[in-house]
Structure formats: structure tokens, C-alpha cells
Amino acid sequence: EVQLLESGGGLVQPGGSLRLSCAASGITFSVYAMTWVRQAPGKGLEWVSVISGSGGSTYYADSVKGRFTISRDNSKNTVYLEMNSLTAEDTAVYYCAKGQISGTYGDDALDIWGQGTMVTVSS
Amino acid sequence: EVVLTQSPATLSLSPGERATLSCRASQSVGIYLVWYQQKPGQAPRLLIYDASKRATGIPARFSGSGSGKDFTLTISSLEPEDFAVYYCQQRSNWPPLTFGGGTKVEIK
């Protein structure tokens, strides 16, 4: 069974940093792009960032560019999201999700999602 | 950036009724339109990709149609477990991948 398990969320002060992790199991991890999507409380879905299977290509939403960094360790089947200079607008549930098609750069449907990890930015 | 507009925002229907949800794109996305279902407290679930292809395990009562700018998700006969929020997403013009604002299907 394919599973994604996020961790690392929590309460952080404005201006602070946090690193999220997403551990995958049941898939050949290195061939799939991995995406982070967030959802502010009571709001819709917002695409945040994606990394290709090799890790060689990364893309970011304008709202996080320069503050967030996506990376992956294929030996650990894990993708990360390093978040810096956090503001209240970053408060959300953060989901990691797997690209549907192997070998893409991240422009595909998201067929497996983790359960999400909550990030709260507040003083 | 492609803007996706979903309508209506809320759809109030009874079990057994037909649901028709709309997603309109600000520019053509070809057939590269995806639909997800999200229930309270849960992660989104992939329903339809490439406008009309059902994902693995999705019941046949869910169908998608459309191309270019206008897309429709139809649930032929609502089951109790279908009451949820539905999002469309485009994967044609990226980055960014963009999502619509969602349609809530609620019990009338």
C-alpha cells in the first residue's frame, strides 16, 4: 500500500523557521515528482512547491519563493519543505502528494496524498 | 497564471439526485483538468484526471467532461458518502499548478 506520512508541523513565531518531512512507502520513490499543497483554515487548496524525481528540478509558488526550499533524499524516500521567514499567512495544513505519472517534472495529477501536518504561525 | 472558477459555490441536493459541478478556466487548458474530492478532516482524493478519466477505484457514477476552458464534473446519483467539497485543478500551464475555489455539495 502506498503511504505518505508528513511530520514536522507545529506552532512557530512570526519570522521563524520550520522543516516539514514527508516519508513515502510502497512506491519507487525516486521516479515520482513530489508536491507540497497547503490549505489555510476554512480555505481552499494552494499549490506550494514541487520537486522532480531526481531532485534536479524545483518550482515554487510566488507566495513562498525565496522563503521555502523543497528537497528530497531518495535514499530515505523522503521529501522536505524548509520554511523560513514565516508569517501568519503561512498558517495552514501542509499536504505532500505524489505525482501520478513517473518521470514528470511535477505537472501531473496528484494521486496519493498524506494526511497533512498543521503549521501555525503566531506569537 | 490560469485562474479556475468553480460554480456554484454550494450545491444543495438530496441523495439519489444528479450533481453537476462546473469549472471554468481563464485560458485554455486543453484536457489537462483534474478533479478532487475532499471530506472534512481528510486529505483530497483524486477522482478524475485529463478531464474525463476516472482514477483507480473511483465509482462509475463520477464522470468528467469538457475541454479548453469549460469543464463539468457529474455525479449521476448522489450517495451519502459523496457529500463533500470538490476542487478542480489544471496542469496545463504551469508553474503554478492552480486549483479552483471549490464547490461544496451538501445535503438538502
Side-chain angles (χ1 to χ4, degrees):
Chain A
E1 181 189 5
V2 180
Q3 281 193 328
L4 300 176
L5 186 63
E6 300 99 334
S7 60
L11 175 64
V12 60
Q13 292 189 338
S17 300
L18 213 54
R19 187 176 86 153
L20 306 182
S21 300
C22 171
S25 59
I27 59 170
T28 305
F29 183 71
S30 63
V31 303
Y32 293 101
M34 296 296 295
T35 297
W36 287 96
V37 174
R38 68 184 180 183
Q39 186 170 36
K43 302 298 184 181
L45 303 171
E46 179 188 14
W47 177 84
V48 173
S49 182
V50 65
I51 186 167
S52 62
S54 68
S57 297
T58 59
Y59 303 92
Y60 299 92
D62 285 346
S63 58
V64 307
K65 200 173 294 183
R67 300 187 300 122
F68 289 13
T69 301
I70 192 171
S71 62
R72 65 191 295 158
D73 184 339
N74 287 342
S75 69
K76 295 182 178 179
N77 285 3
T78 300
V79 61
Y80 305 97
L81 187 68
E82 184 79 34
M83 305 185 295
N84 298 315
S85 303
L86 287 162
T87 72
E89 286 66 45
D90 297 314
T91 294
V93 174
Y94 284 73
Y95 296 101
C96 70
K98 166 190 162 292
Q100 184 183 29
I101 304 168
S102 63
T104 69
Y105 289 100
D107 56 334
D108 53 351
L110 303 172
D111 64 344
I112 304 294
W113 295 63
Q115 87 290 346
T117 188
M118 183 71 204
V119 172
T120 303
V121 184
S122 175
S123 56
Chain B
E1 173 176 326
V2 177
V3 176
L4 299 177
T5 302
Q6 292 188 240
S7 61
T10 304
L11 199 50
S12 299
L13 295 168
S14 301
E17 288 194 295
R18 181 183 189 90
T20 303
L21 288 66
S22 173
C23 178
R24 176 164 291 181
S26 61
Q27 62 190 83
S28 177
V29 297
I31 62 164
Y32 300 115
L33 196 285
V34 184
W35 291 94
Y36 301 92
Q37 175 194 67
Q38 188 180 33
K39 298 179 182 179
Q42 296 185 17
R45 172 195 183 196
L46 176 63
L47 292 177
I48 301 286
Y49 64 98
D50 292 353
S52 62
K53 299 175 182 176
R54 275 190 302 277
T56 303
I58 301 304
R61 63 181 181 274
F62 291 92
S63 63
S65 63
S67 65
K69 293 184 179 181
D70 291 308
F71 299 87
T72 301
L73 174 69
T74 302
I75 311 171
S76 59
S77 178
L78 283 163
E79 296 288 338
E81 62 267 28
D82 300 335
F83 291 91
V85 179
Y86 293 84
Y87 293 96
C88 58
Q89 173 226 316
Q90 66 83 24
R91 66 180 193 89
S92 174
N93 302 304
W94 82 294
L97 295 179
T98 50
F99 291 90
T103 291
K104 181 180 181 180
V105 179
E106 66 175 22
I107 300 176
K108 186 175 182 179

